[in-house]
Amino acid sequence: MELAYYSDYAVRLVNSEDPARGKDSMTSVEAIRDLFGVNQSAARRATDADVTRFRSVRARLRSVFEAADRGDETLAVDLLNALLLEFPVSPQISGHDFRDDDGRPLWHMHLADHPSNATSGYAAIASMGLAFHLTEYGVDRLGLCEAPPCRNAYLDTSTNRSRRYCSDRCATRANVAAYRARKRLAADRSASTGRSADSAQRASANGER
């Protein structure tokens, strides 16, 4: 099963909005079709009515990541189960596009949706992919970027469960901010120590008089 591929559907949809900055790229049919990536046959089903529906599913998927980020494992699973019930898929064996040296299909599992619209199809695949990722790797592998104000979703695939940021850019920005904060703290402490030393010297001098 192509876990990373299917679970990335959820990440792409959640990150189409940047709530902290008031930005939302989910504004048109073209934006929806971009989310589908190579799945162009499913993308062609998108209509203007799907824009609002996609935003609704996006909010629910973000709630899953928010619950996981807070460590509320039960809530994250409950929210995801609700999506799975509403947007079902059927696992199917597929051999398209992949052949071995003898020309035989390389069979693999594929998620087939049964949508009434583009939103249902996308939501089904995104939810199932996220469910596979959660059960395979753990709920703590679903996170939200810790570099303020960014709150993009990400899937932690690190070997030691150490990921905290959605991208290298956010990691660098957070590290620079932390470094500057340490420098300011050190400077403040130095200044405070200097003031304390001056006060002690003045007190000593007054005592000698």
Side-chain angles (χ1 to χ4, degrees):
M1 189 71 70
E2 299 170 347
L3 297 178
Y5 174 76
Y6 287 123
S7 56
D8 192 54
Y9 271 57
V11 174
R12 290 204 302 268
L13 178 53
V14 171
N15 292 347
S16 67
E17 180 185 28
D18 186 347
R21 297 184 177 91
K23 295 181 179 180
D24 186 353
S25 63
M26 186 54 55
T27 58
S28 66
V29 172
E30 288 70 26
I32 292 174
R33 289 174 178 164
D34 287 343
L35 284 176
F36 278 97
V38 298
N39 195 349
Q40 294 302 315
S41 60
R44 283 194 289 271
R45 295 193 296 258
T47 66
D48 289 333
D50 282 300
V51 174
T52 300
R53 290 194 288 255
F54 260 75
R55 287 176 171 174
S56 176
V57 171
R58 180 180 63 190
R60 295 172 66 182
L61 286 170
R62 175 170 283 278
S63 294
V64 175
F65 279 93
E66 289 174 343
D69 190 62
R70 293 195 305 269
D72 195 338
E73 185 170 347
T74 300
L75 178 58
V77 170
D78 287 345
L79 292 171
L80 193 49
N81 273 336
L83 284 163
L84 292 170
L85 287 172
E86 185 173 346
F87 303 106
V89 296
S90 298
Q92 291 183 346
I93 300 173
S94 175
H96 62 83
D97 299 332
F98 299 98
R99 301 281 171 172
D100 62 17
D101 293 338
D102 296 325
R104 294 174 301 186
L106 293 176
W107 303 112
H108 61 280
M109 294 299 295
H110 175 74
L111 296 182
D113 55 32
H114 306 284
S116 57
N117 53 63
T119 305
S120 296
Y122 194 98
I125 294 174
S127 301
M128 183 60 77
L130 200 58
F132 276 123
H133 195 94
L134 186 152
T135 54
E136 181 74 14
Y137 302 109
V139 71
D140 57 338
R141 292 288 189 155
L142 279 59
L144 293 174
C145 187
E146 294 183 14
C150 180
R151 294 295 283 166
N152 274 353
Y154 65 83
L155 300 172
D156 185 358
T157 57
S158 63
T159 56
N160 57 355
R161 300 172 184 263
S162 60
R163 185 170 178 178
R164 297 167 55 199
Y165 308 107
C166 68
S167 64
D168 290 341
R169 178 181 180 183
C170 277
T172 299
R173 183 159 52 84
N175 289 335
V176 169
Y179 172 77
R180 289 175 176 171
R182 289 194 299 270
K183 294 287 284 185
R184 286 194 299 270
L185 180 60
D188 291 344
R189 286 176 175 172
S190 178
S192 177
T193 300
R195 287 193 295 270
S196 297
D198 290 342
S199 297
Q201 289 176 354
R202 286 195 296 270
S204 176
N206 291 334
E208 292 174 353
R209 290 173 183 172

